[in-house]
Amino acid sequence: MSLRVGFIGYGFMGQAHANALARLPMFFPEAPATDRHMLCGRNEERVASAAERFGFAHTTDDWERLVDEVDVLYNLGPNDLHAEPTIAALENDVHVLCEKPLAATLEDAERMVAAADESDAVAACAFNYRYVPALRLAKELIDEGALGKIRHVRGKYLVDWQADAEHPWVWRNDAERAGYGQVGDLGSHTIDLARWLVGAIEDVSGRLATFVDERPAPDGDGTLPVTTDDAYLATASFESGAIGVFEGSSMASGHKATNAIEIIGSEGAIRFDLERLNELEVYDDDRRGYERILVTDEDDPYGDRWWPAGHAIGWEHTVVHENYEFLRAIAGEGDDIVSFDEALTVQRIVDTVARSDDRGQRLAVETDS
Amino acid sequence: MSLRVGFIGYGFMGQAHANALARLPMFFPEAPATDRHMLCGRNEERVASAAERFGFAHTTDDWERLVDEVDVLYNLGPNDLHAEPTIAALENDVHVLCEKPLAATLEDAERMVAAADESDAVAACAFNYRYVPALRLAKELIDEGALGKIRHVRGKYLVDWQADAEHPWVWRNDAERAGYGQVGDLGSHTIDLARWLVGAIEDVSGRLATFVDERPAPDGDGTLPVTTDDAYLATASFESGAIGVFEGSSMASGHKATNAIEIIGSEGAIRFDLERLNELEVYDDDRRGYERILVTDEDDPYGDRWWPAGHAIGWEHTVVHENYEFLRAIAGEGDDIVSFDEALTVQRIVDTVARSDDRGQRLAVETDS
Amino acid sequence: MSLRVGFIGYGFMGQAHANALARLPMFFPEAPATDRHMLCGRNEERVASAAERFGFAHTTDDWERLVDEVDVLYNLGPNDLHAEPTIAALENDVHVLCEKPLAATLEDAERMVAAADESDAVAACAFNYRYVPALRLAKELIDEGALGKIRHVRGKYLVDWQADAEHPWVWRNDAERAGYGQVGDLGSHTIDLARWLVGAIEDVSGRLATFVDERPAPDGDGTLPVTTDDAYLATASFESGAIGVFEGSSMASGHKATNAIEIIGSEGAIRFDLERLNELEVYDDDRRGYERILVTDEDDPYGDRWWPAGHAIGWEHTVVHENYEFLRAIAGEGDDIVSFDEALTVQRIVDTVARSDDRGQRLAVETDS
Amino acid sequence: MSLRVGFIGYGFMGQAHANALARLPMFFPEAPATDRHMLCGRNEERVASAAERFGFAHTTDDWERLVDEVDVLYNLGPNDLHAEPTIAALENDVHVLCEKPLAATLEDAERMVAAADESDAVAACAFNYRYVPALRLAKELIDEGALGKIRHVRGKYLVDWQADAEHPWVWRNDAERAGYGQVGDLGSHTIDLARWLVGAIEDVSGRLATFVDERPAPDGDGTLPVTTDDAYLATASFESGAIGVFEGSSMASGHKATNAIEIIGSEGAIRFDLERLNELEVYDDDRRGYERILVTDEDDPYGDRWWPAGHAIGWEHTVVHENYEFLRAIAGEGDDIVSFDEALTVQRIVDTVARSDDRGQRLAVETDS
């Protein structure tokens, strides 16, 4: 029996997850079978067109119907639409993969965690960069102690899509819908990676900036106010004694996808940049400098699933891996997902960064552990 | 009506092309529909297993049967098995995509071209690197004159899979089966790219080397002689007045997929390395140094088909693009394939490099134009 | 008449400045002539040996005598010895080039500025990285508006000389003598560059860390406590609206001299790393990526003084340039020095970072403008 | 007693060697003392001005007088002026450091070697890149076997100073004066490095190109014919079984000083680029990729003479090291020079490359061993 899957959302992430499901049988044949059952969106024509391309059998504009009919919900809508369908699904023991950040508000995120705790279904948050082979290799190195005691963490995510002040307003510029700006959108990725690789964060000092206060309305009629941040900075202390700095911006001219992390320990170091996602640079103190590793060998993470050594994979493969691990968790065969609990912690840190900026104070992260 | 497709070969390239066909409907919905009809190989069990994973309906160990049943043949077998099935298919007006190099011998290649000339079917050779977006951007720049008059070409393809002298003997080490060693396997890629980007080659001076004369037999029983080259070098003159140097080696320790090309003209330059296939470095004389471009924008070659700017594609996407262009040519909607004529010219140059080495003389390339 | 020059200190910086003075006549012949008159240090034998190599005519262990006999004082001693000789010299109208940071304490720094204000002599602080040609080119680009409105600043200075917890204690680990740890030693460089390039800093949030609490005593007898920071982080707001992040560490395994700065504006960006000091990477929004410039052309800053284009200069050349500008200022022919006022502002920011860490609060920088 | 030194030539190389001599006392105090005695050149005014800046006591326009008065001759003139003064000096037992290539013609080079053989003086050719610390480290690695058996050599020297077809004609464009074009000027450096690092060369296949046949005369009056090559290519076999490719061009748009060499062996590899002269990239088969080493540690070649680890040296330091070794050889304390014999072998290879191009044949190198 195939798992009936339903998606809310049919944009970039809809295509990424549909592609992932379509590719699993050839490359991860042991993954539980899925059936792209239903696609949900508001614009009937566009949903129909997307459903055809993405291979969905049915469409709807009613997420409650979708939740009723599927075994698995992929919640790929805007942040403020994460909570209700997710909670409904979990109450129905429908498994959920929810895009990041978990929610637009901390309150929503907490309700989602409560629903996940009550449910027998699997609930996962789609922090896909945990599934980059190079970053998994980094984690293996860190976990086996190759870096010694971690001292420095440096995470940044720089993109330029709103660098032009005339770039139209989007829902991410609206605090109501997005919750946070780049501290939520980009920052949540960086914070998740940092926690996953280095451990719990104790406190943060945040700084947010909005460089452009209003942008042209998408319909071309006047301007709309920007009520979220365009960029954030934060410094952090980790429970382990490491210190770190995080940065994110959607106005970083010249940067398309600089999702980079550098970690330095007493005996070694690693660094990674998503723009070169097949590569990891590694230093260990038997050496004199960073070594550039192409993480495409057969015994690298997921390396036996794709092509011979040296043949690069792309961004989308991170989503394939994520789907594989999520479906395995549903089948009870693995646990390599990002739980809602963890996603809530990321959300708390995002929120703490924003509050820290507001107060001009370093703030403890209440529940990280 | 879908095109019935049959593959000879189910290894690395078999999976790459099966994947490509499977992905076209979602990303290139206007591509002619295909039906993975039949997979041909000698080992019944392995063919069956591959057919299941690759989505083929039928299997056979008889390529003649396959040629009878399909509209399109993908000839993915060893070089010495390229000619007969391809010729049979073309005589039957079955379209052919044949892996590179075109054949093990110049004679076979010539027979294949003759068959293609006689046939109403489309015949293409799978030089997939022409479909790397960054290299297509390079070609656009060259064709529009951005580099001025080309003076220098530097192509190399360095891999290390046989760097260890104890690496077992493979069929590519056998002149009977492979025809040529690395001058054929790696060199054909480099030469094809150089011709495509810079134009006809007039003469070459070649140098071949075999560093390890015998290798452990694959069955573990003694050794087998290496009768092809492990590496080649060549210098070349282009009709345009440019000069170039080509190099290929399967024993280049430290290199996994350094398929690199650099082209310098009077007004600009480009360089590319497959290990960073989403990038092109471009110099023009209004500037002071090379600029690193991430070739993932929407208006980059094939950029509108995949993900938003900055989201890297992988090696396999070159094969998807190649399949798309091949199928379009079948549908009479395009001509962006590598014809057998062109592939024969590459073969002639490979052969001229080898003969030049043998004679210690610079030799004219007989038919390039 | 040559200027009689005296140095306090004969270590690394002593040699760097002696070398600079020795090289000026050949490369900057119009620079005021100097006479290496007297070298001051405590260890008679080592001072004598250094004086011979550095070309000093006389030695002393009495800085007051030195101040009496020279026209120019180079104060190259530990931070806590900056104030007294410098003030004495300035009171005597002896010109002073003082190593950075200006002093071990803010109080000393303020007294030094007061002395400079009262004196007819030139007082300069040796922030030598302002004299890197690539950074001067960056400043030209910023000043002419090529980057548009600056939004992001990222400065870091990572070195590894104390990465090993068994590395002996040095005076920089002692709050009494050094004042601050890396926030003072490395951070002052970064902060000076950031202010010079981007302008006044309004407020900072600091974070300091000491990873190793005690280190082996230099005499091998037990351990000594580390009372300064091993590393610092800070975020900052600039008066112009830009935000920035600064970092410094002496325990950054794998890094020898990563003194790097990245600046992103609305229309362009630059980045620089001292490990590749002849290079500047520049982005402008007519382009698609960063362009790597070798800053060695004849019309680059100081480019006409050294070698033909492409011939790299080294670290020491920054000190030669600094000496040239300092001596020109003495001759009344230029003003391209770092005044004590500016150095005091850097010191205030360093101090504010440290206090901010202590209080866990963002703090305004009192006097930057 | 100081060695009296005389220079023929006061351009770029004159300044480089004068600077080297001036810097030795501070950094290599044990080097034999020298006295910049006499500078020889044809233009009285410019010689006088250069002599003042370079620190020479006397000037002359008569090289025979100079040879009479000095202990050491630095022959820094154009290639066709290397032979006579050098031979005269050696006959007089005056030591000679002659710029590269050794001569404009093979005949001159042979006469110079004969003179050196007869003389009691030291005769060295100024292949300064042997004195780059990173390349010396490479040599140490190769000599101790860290790369295993060398298989591949790739040397190129790309510059752009004549990329513009309107760049004026210079003496290097004249076969009479220069002997060879870039195969002599750039190629001799590459060939010297390759031989020094990898050993004797057995045969070569050469290819020369002149992209621009005539250039504006330097006096602005019409054009002059270009009778030397603008670029060369060569492939080579080494006695050890390695194969190599060499390339040089003065018309390589976008390249200022790409003097690069890559060497791959059975167990490791190195690569170097003069544009980043403080760096060596090293691969060994215990690793997975190239490691970037900053060759500035105290125990690196010449590392104890300059600055603390991480502080880059520049191009000119190679000339300082070269002068140090030359003077030590004069003092009978070392032998780390490039002998005329070796320089003649380089010249023979240059000449063989040029003849090979002419004949379109691979040619044996007659005397390399």
Side-chain angles (χ1 to χ4, degrees), chain D residues 48-123:
Chain D
S49 158
E52 193 184 337
R53 261 197 308 138
F54 299 174
F56 280 87
H58 308 284
T59 64
T60 182
D61 63 355
D62 174 3
W63 64 257
E64 292 185 309
R65 186 184 148 209
L66 179 136
V67 167
D68 273 352
E69 290 199 17
V70 299
D71 303 310
V72 187
L73 168 67
Y74 280 54
N75 193 336
L76 315 174
N79 301 350
D80 61 334
L81 299 183
H82 284 184
E84 299 320 318
T86 293
I87 290 168
L90 291 172
E91 285 174 355
N92 225 17
D93 287 343
V94 168
H95 309 287
V96 178
L97 182 66
C98 182
E99 266 305 325
K100 46 60 59 184
L102 191 56
T105 66
L106 202 47
E107 294 65 36
D108 273 2
E110 284 166 346
R111 289 169 52 221
M112 290 165 77
V113 167
D117 286 347
E118 294 296 308
S119 177
D120 289 332
V122 171

Side-chain angles (χ1 to χ4, degrees), chain A residues 12 15-19 22-23 25-27 29 36 53-55 129 157 256-257 273-279 292 294 296-297 305-317, chain B residues 12 15-19 22-23 25-27 29 36 53-55 129 157 256-257 273-279 292 294 296-297 305-317:
Chain A
F12 166 31
Q15 183 158 21
H17 286 288
N19 175 57
R23 305 189 69 199
M26 194 179 292
F27 294 92
R36 274 160 276 161
R53 261 195 309 137
F54 299 173
Y129 296 121
Y157 204 147
K256 289 294 171 202
D273 182 344
L274 185 67
E275 290 199 357
R276 291 174 172 168
L277 74 89
N278 292 276
E279 301 179 25
R292 173 186 168 268
L294 211 52
T296 57
D297 278 3
R305 299 312 183 109
W306 302 105
W307 314 106
H311 292 78
I313 60 166
W315 170 84
E316 71 197 62
H317 295 73
Chain B
F12 166 31
Q15 184 158 21
H17 287 287
N19 175 57
R23 305 189 68 198
M26 194 178 290
F27 294 92
R36 275 161 273 160
R53 260 195 309 137
F54 299 173
Y129 296 121
Y157 202 148
K256 290 294 173 203
D273 182 345
L274 185 66
E275 291 199 357
R276 291 174 172 168
L277 72 90
N278 292 276
E279 302 179 25
R292 172 185 169 269
L294 211 52
T296 57
D297 279 3
R305 300 310 184 110
W306 303 106
W307 316 106
H311 292 78
I313 60 166
W315 171 85
E316 72 198 60
H317 295 72

Side-chain angles (χ1 to χ4, degrees), chain C residues 4 7 42 57 59 106 155 177 185 223 230 234 252 261 305 340:
Chain C
R4 278 165 308 162
F7 284 14
R42 277 179 276 207
T59 65
L106 202 46
R177 303 201 56 196
D185 190 30
T223 63
D230 293 323
I261 192 157
R305 300 311 184 109
F340 273 23

Side-chain angles (χ1 to χ4, degrees), chain B residues 205-209 352-361, chain D residues 362:
Chain B
S205 296
R207 189 180 288 271
L208 274 56
T352 311
V353 169
R355 284 185 297 117
S356 165
D357 170 65
D358 202 44
R359 299 196 195 165
Q361 289 184 314
Chain D
R362 185 186 304 160

Side-chain angles (χ1 to χ4, degrees), chain A residues 287-292, chain D residues 134 137-138 141 146-147 263 267-272 279-285 287-293 295:
Chain A
R287 293 171 195 179
R288 296 188 52 189
Y290 282 81
E291 170 193 353
R292 173 186 168 268
Chain D
L137 177 58
L141 291 170
L147 272 60
I263 298 172
E267 295 170 31
I270 63 95
R271 55 190 181 202
F272 169 83
E279 302 180 25
L280 185 71
E281 289 190 281
V282 177
Y283 168 78
D284 76 53
D285 59 9
R287 294 170 194 178
R288 296 188 52 188
Y290 282 81
E291 170 192 355
R292 172 184 168 269
I293 294 176
V295 189

Side-chain angles (χ1 to χ4, degrees), chain C residues 294-318:
Chain C
L294 210 53
V295 189
T296 57
D297 278 3
E298 194 172 357
D299 55 0
D300 279 320
Y302 305 117
D304 58 340
R305 300 311 184 109
W306 302 106
W307 315 107
H311 292 79
I313 61 166
W315 171 84
E316 71 198 61
H317 295 72
T318 66

